[in-house]
Amino acid sequence: MFNNNPYRFLGVVSNAGAKAIQKNLSKIKAYSKIGKYISLPYELNFFNIIELNRSDSLIIESENKILLDINKIKHSLFWFVNSSSIDQVALENLDKG
């Protein structure tokens, strides 16, 4: 659940708006078209979790997982949220490793 979380794949927190999700999704698709890897916030590779592979099929899968509200709730239970200044500081420190 943590390794294949669509929020991790898209590089956003679980309470991110549709605009932020679409922005990162567009970046991922653009980089994928030219065969480059994009590093986004909240990948958290230092946790020794699986390295992200952003193939075309996984891009579509993550996009579909995030479209339904029930899936958003399910996946947000296993991801980070940014709802206060304390959360912001913690997320910045996690992002730095």
Side-chain angles (χ1 to χ4, degrees), residues 14-50:
S14 62
N15 63 334
K19 187 176 180 179
I21 291 171
Q22 287 301 322
K23 178 183 166 189
N24 282 4
L25 193 56
S26 296
K27 283 182 186 178
I28 292 168
K29 287 179 180 179
Y31 274 75
S32 177
K33 283 183 183 178
I34 60 173
K36 298 274 185 174
Y37 177 81
I38 183 172
S39 179
L40 295 170
Y42 313 118
E43 288 181 3
L44 310 177
N45 291 326
F46 63 89
F47 278 142
N48 293 327
I49 50 182
I50 298 171

Side-chain angles (χ1 to χ4, degrees), residues 36-92:
K36 298 274 185 174
Y37 177 81
I38 183 172
S39 179
L40 295 170
Y42 313 118
E43 288 181 3
L44 310 177
N45 291 326
F46 63 89
F47 278 142
N48 293 327
I49 50 182
I50 298 171
E51 188 80 24
L52 284 175
N53 174 17
R54 291 192 172 106
S55 65
D56 291 336
S57 62
L58 290 175
I59 293 171
I60 293 168
E61 182 182 332
S62 290
E63 186 176 13
N64 289 338
K65 282 181 183 178
I66 214 100
L67 288 177
L68 296 174
D69 288 337
I70 191 73
N71 287 341
K72 283 182 182 179
I73 293 169
K74 181 176 109 178
H75 293 292
S76 69
L77 292 174
F78 298 98
W79 200 242
F80 302 97
V81 66
N82 186 2
S83 62
S84 70
S85 59
I86 294 171
D87 289 340
Q88 179 66 36
V89 171
L91 286 169
E92 287 173 3

